[in-house]
């Protein structure tokens, strides 16, 4: 199984488990739905073909960038980072390590204030 870690403004906001074909875009029928004007309706697809993971730009307006270069199609390796609009993603063959570290959230005595240990 493979995963995409979704990063926005430097923070991880989600981790997605990938299927054989995963659509990323603004349209509601995309597997990874991103409500952002910098992302096209059907921006890109991540797919596994013969055991090799690939990232394919689906003719998006703002393109797909890997290491600052605009690409139309690329083979993904563990740790590959790419951007779609203002959103960054990291490709992982295994679940990212930091997900094993779950913080406990505690409620303080002040209403609406929470903290972690």
């Amino acid at each position: 199984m493979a995963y995409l870690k979704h990063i926005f403004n430097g923070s991880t906001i989600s981790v997605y488990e990938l299927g054989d074909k995963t659509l990323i875009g603004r349209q509601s029928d995309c597997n990874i739905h991103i409500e952002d004007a910098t992302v096209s309706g059907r921006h890109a697809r991540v797919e596994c073909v013969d055991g090799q993971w690939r990232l394919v730009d689906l003719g998006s307006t703002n393109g797909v960038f890997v290491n600052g270069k605009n690409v139309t199609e690329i083979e993904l390796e563990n740790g590959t980072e790419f951007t779609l609009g203002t959103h960054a993603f990291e490709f992982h063959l295994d679940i990212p390590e930091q997900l094993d570290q779950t913080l406990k959230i505690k409620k303080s005595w002040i209403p609406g204030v929470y903290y972690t240990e």
Side-chain angles (χ1 to χ4, degrees), residues 52-103:
Q52 178 59 53
W53 288 92
R54 301 189 66 71
L55 171 64
V56 180
D57 185 346
L58 299 175
S60 65
T61 302
N62 291 319
V64 174
F65 289 84
V66 176
N67 297 325
K69 287 182 131 179
N70 192 358
V71 299
T72 55
E73 189 170 331
I74 190 168
E75 288 187 13
L76 295 171
E77 297 177 9
N78 195 43
T80 299
E81 296 181 22
F82 61 92
T83 58
L84 309 178
T86 58
H87 295 260
F89 293 87
E90 276 181 18
F91 175 78
H92 294 276
L93 291 171
D94 296 308
I95 197 153
E97 274 182 32
Q98 58 270 39
L99 289 183
D100 292 338
Q101 303 168 1
T102 304
L103 294 174

Side-chain angles (χ1 to χ4, degrees), residues 5 7 9 14 22-23 26 35-36 38 41 45 56 62 68 77-78 80 94 96 100 106 109 113 115:
K5 181 165 78 165
I7 303 162
N9 288 336
S14 193
T22 302
L23 286 175
R26 208 172 60 236
E35 264 313 312
D36 186 324
T38 65
R45 178 178 65 237
V56 180
N62 291 319
E77 297 177 9
N78 195 43
T80 299
D94 296 308
D100 292 338
K106 302 234 177 196
W109 61 272
V113 175
Y115 65 96

